[in-house]
């Protein structure tokens, strides 16, 4: 499908151009989500896109689906409600690193634990962009933020490991640079029956890039290109060679009972008296 | 590959001139104008890989023709 056809079909064209800064990765990820949805068989009218608060959470406003722009950190709570009430709907969550891992961190681990059939795309730009560049739990240690003028001393989360440990059944990571891989990983996540989590390492040229010696968005994409290592390639590298690098690709996939399906068989059916 | 050069179109109103499409075009089809937006200087070299489309944060660039190939 051409870009124009994609935009006409899946975007609210009257809301475009979007307000994101020049070179911001949010638009690349939004485009990847749209392309991934186009690759799957889900009905556009039965797909709900839910977001929280932050730059990335503005994405659903540009997308021509049933959308919910909710409160800070609570995208997964709202999405859980939607999916629980209407398991027939395809529910996608778009969230940022701050939204998802700080104020929304508890929702994240419990949504993963339940293995509810949601697809979560985290726009990890390493910073709270909307509010002026405060560090988030995913800001790399020792990098600079408006609230860390001497560098952040906090160790950053590996959110993919966290979600896998909490019980998420599909876990993947990509970058804005690896946009083609990203589309495929999101599409696989959409088709996965269970909690699908895709972290996207992306760029905030204004509030992260300027403070951390990235003169332009292009430099930030080059950094992603140089520091992302595909899972297969990483298997041949020593821990020393992997130092400072991060994994991309499908990191984990397993089959496990899905929450709304179990609710139907183990609660609703019993309540109806179908089974004891 | 189509013998006809690709028709690369830019949505001037949406493009913010970030330079990503120019920097990462594998075939060096694009150059920067004074305002930072891309100028299609070398359309014959375009392989229609579509990476400029995929990486454009503003959904502002499109490559005419259906044939897409290439890898990340």
């Amino acid at each position: 499908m051409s870009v124009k056809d994609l935009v006409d079909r899946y975007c609210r064209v009257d809301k475009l151009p979007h307000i994101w800064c020049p070179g911001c990765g949010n638009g690349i990820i939004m485009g990847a989500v749209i392309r991934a949805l186009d690759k799957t068989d889900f009905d556009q009218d039965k797909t709900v896109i839910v977001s929280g608060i932050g730059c990335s959470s503005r994405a659903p406003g540009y997308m021509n689906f049933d959308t919910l722009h909710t409160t800070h950190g609570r995208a997964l709570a709202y999405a859980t409600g939607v999916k629980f009430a209407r398991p027939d709907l395809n529910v996608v969550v778009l969230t940022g690193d701050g939204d998802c891992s700080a104020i929304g961190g508890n929702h994240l681990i419990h949504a993963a634990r339940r293995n509810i059939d949601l697809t979560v795309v985290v726009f990890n730009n390493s910073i709270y962009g909307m509010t002026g560049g405060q560090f988030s739990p995913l800001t790399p240690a020792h990098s600079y933020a408006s609230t860390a003028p001497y560098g952040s001393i906090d160790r950053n989360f590996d959110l993919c490991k966290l979600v896998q440990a909490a019980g998420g059944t599909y876990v993947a990571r990509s970058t804005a640079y690896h946009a083609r891989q990203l589309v495929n990983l999101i599409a696989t996540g959409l088709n996965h029956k269970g909690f699908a989590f895709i972290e996207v390492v992306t760029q905030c040229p204004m509030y992260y890039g300027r403070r951390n010696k990235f003169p332009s968005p292009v430099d930030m994409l080059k950094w992603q290109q140089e520091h992302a290592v595909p899972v297969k390639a990483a298997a041949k590298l020593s821990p020393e060679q992997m130092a400072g690098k991060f994994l991309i690709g499908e990191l984990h996939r397993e089959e496990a009972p899905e929450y709304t399906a179990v609710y139907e068989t183990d609660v609703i059916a019993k309540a109806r008296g179908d089974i004891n | 590959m189509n013998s006809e050069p690709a028709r690369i179109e830019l949505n001037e109103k949406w493009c913010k001139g970030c330079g990503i499409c120019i920097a990462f075009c594998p075939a060096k089809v694009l150059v920067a104008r004074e305002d930072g937006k891309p100028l299609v200087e070398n359309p014959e070299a375009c392989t229609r890989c579509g990476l400029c489309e995929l990486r454009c944060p503003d959904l502002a660039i499109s490559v005419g023709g259906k044939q897409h190939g290439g890898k990340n």
Side-chain angles (χ1 to χ4, degrees), chain B residues 26-64:
Chain B
K28 308 264 181 273
V29 171
L30 307 166
V31 295
R33 307 189 316 209
E34 250 181 50
D35 61 2
K37 295 183 183 182
L39 178 73
V40 184
E41 191 173 70
N42 195 10
E44 301 79 24
C46 176
T47 63
R48 294 179 169 82
C49 70
L51 285 170
C52 58
E53 292 182 349
L54 284 164
R55 294 198 184 115
C56 175
D58 297 286
L59 300 162
I61 195 163
S62 62
V63 182

Side-chain angles (χ1 to χ4, degrees), chain A residues 18 20 24 27-28 177 180, chain B residues 16 18 20 49 55 57-58 72:
Chain A
H18 55 64
W20 294 315
C24 169
I28 302 176
Y177 173 82
R180 196 188 302 280
Chain B
K16 293 169 185 162
C18 69
I20 289 172
C49 70
R55 294 198 184 115
D58 297 286
N72 265 1

Side-chain angles (χ1 to χ4, degrees), chain A residues 3 7 11 13 16-20 22-24 27-28 30-31 35 177-181 183 203 217-218 221-222 225, chain B residues 13-14 16-21 23-24 49-51 53-63 68-72:
Chain A
V3 174
V7 167
C11 293
V13 181
L16 293 170
H18 55 64
I19 64 154
W20 294 315
C24 169
I28 302 176
M30 183 176 77
R35 289 175 173 99
Y177 173 82
H178 298 85
R180 196 188 302 280
Q181 177 199 45
V183 173
Q203 69 279 8
V218 169
L221 285 191
K222 281 183 183 156
Q225 179 188 16
Chain B
K13 286 183 181 167
W14 291 7
K16 293 169 185 162
C18 69
I20 289 172
C21 58
F24 295 104
C49 70
L51 285 170
E53 292 182 349
L54 284 164
R55 294 198 184 115
C56 175
D58 297 286
L59 300 162
I61 195 163
S62 62
V63 182
H68 278 223
K71 292 165 104 177
N72 265 1

